[in-house]
Amino acid sequence: MPPGRERTLPDGHAHGFFLDWDEVADGTVGSLRAEAGRNPLEKGLTDLVGELVARSQPFAAKWAQHDVRLHRTATKRLQDTVVGDSGYGQETQLSFR
């Protein structure tokens, strides 16, 4: 799992950092659900999901929606007190085995 995914939802700090937080959170949870579908017995992933469900009401609500997302491209807009508003694009290579 790419680093940083587990930090999007649990403590609420990311909510002020991402200008499009709901969209980023939906994509993050949907990507985790897709990974869980590919690897349902992966202990690290099931432990992470269990911890996030227990610690984060927003994550639990989004996880309960059963939304699965596979992203190829995304644009994320960020807000920083020093730098100001910025954005970046991202491309993901998907491989299916």
Side-chain angles (χ1 to χ4, degrees):
M1 176 174 34
R5 246 186 219 170
E6 70 278 8
R7 292 187 297 269
T8 302
L9 286 154
D11 61 9
H13 287 93
H15 202 292
F17 183 67
F18 291 104
L19 294 170
D20 303 313
W21 183 85
D22 276 325
E23 186 177 319
V24 171
D26 287 344
T28 300
V29 175
S31 293
L32 277 173
R33 187 163 279 289
E35 188 63 30
R38 282 193 293 271
N39 298 296
L41 302 177
E42 169 62 42
K43 183 173 175 11
L45 181 58
T46 57
D47 288 350
L48 174 62
V49 169
E51 180 182 340
L52 290 171
V53 166
R55 289 180 51 208
S56 171
Q57 191 283 325
F59 179 88
K62 289 179 183 300
W63 186 258
Q65 294 173 356
H66 299 278
D67 186 22
V68 176
R69 293 188 182 197
L70 299 174
H71 295 283
R72 292 191 179 118
T73 62
T75 301
K76 294 187 178 164
R77 296 180 324 124
L78 312 173
Q79 180 179 22
D80 184 83
T81 56
V82 175
V83 179
D85 294 353
S86 63
Y88 69 92
Q90 133 188 8
E91 292 185 27
T92 304
Q93 179 179 354
L94 302 175
S95 62
F96 299 94
R97 297 180 200 160

